Amino acid sequence: MEKVRIERIRTFVAIKLPDHLKKEIGKIQRQIEAEAPGTLHFVPPDQLHITIAFLGRLSWDTQTSVISVCQQIANKTPPFE
């Protein structure tokens, strides 16, 4: 019997950060790197976000369901700063 491999996708729920904030955080990252080179690893500023929940590796079908539920919640939730 042939095993079917289900691709799993690393999934998390997050809040995007505004570009101006990513730029400022990037400046701070560069300052820290200059003071202590090689001691810390930072993600590129354009990938910064606030993780609300890490869900692990989900199948495409499960991830699609999560996206749908998150969109429904987001549509009912007023924006915040």
Side-chain angles (χ1 to χ4, degrees):
M1 181 179 232
E2 185 178 320
K3 287 185 178 181
V4 177
R5 183 172 181 231
I6 298 174
E7 183 177 357
R8 301 209 175 260
I9 304 159
R10 191 169 183 260
T11 308
F12 56 92
V13 178
I15 298 172
K16 291 182 179 181
L17 295 175
D19 289 338
H20 72 277
L21 186 54
K22 291 180 188 180
K23 184 177 177 180
E24 291 302 314
I25 293 171
K27 288 179 187 177
I28 295 167
Q29 287 177 331
R30 287 188 295 280
Q31 290 173 349
I32 293 170
E33 288 170 341
E35 292 292 324
T39 58
L40 298 172
H41 170 75
F42 294 104
V43 298
D46 64 324
Q47 294 180 12
L48 290 171
H49 59 271
I50 297 173
T51 299
I52 302 297
F54 179 67
L55 305 175
R57 295 192 179 275
L58 304 180
S59 69
W60 177 250
D61 289 341
T62 302
Q63 189 182 56
T64 301
S65 296
V66 168
I67 291 169
S68 177
V69 169
C70 287
Q71 287 174 333
Q72 291 172 27
I73 294 168
N75 290 338
K76 295 177 184 176
T77 306
F80 60 91
E81 292 185 24

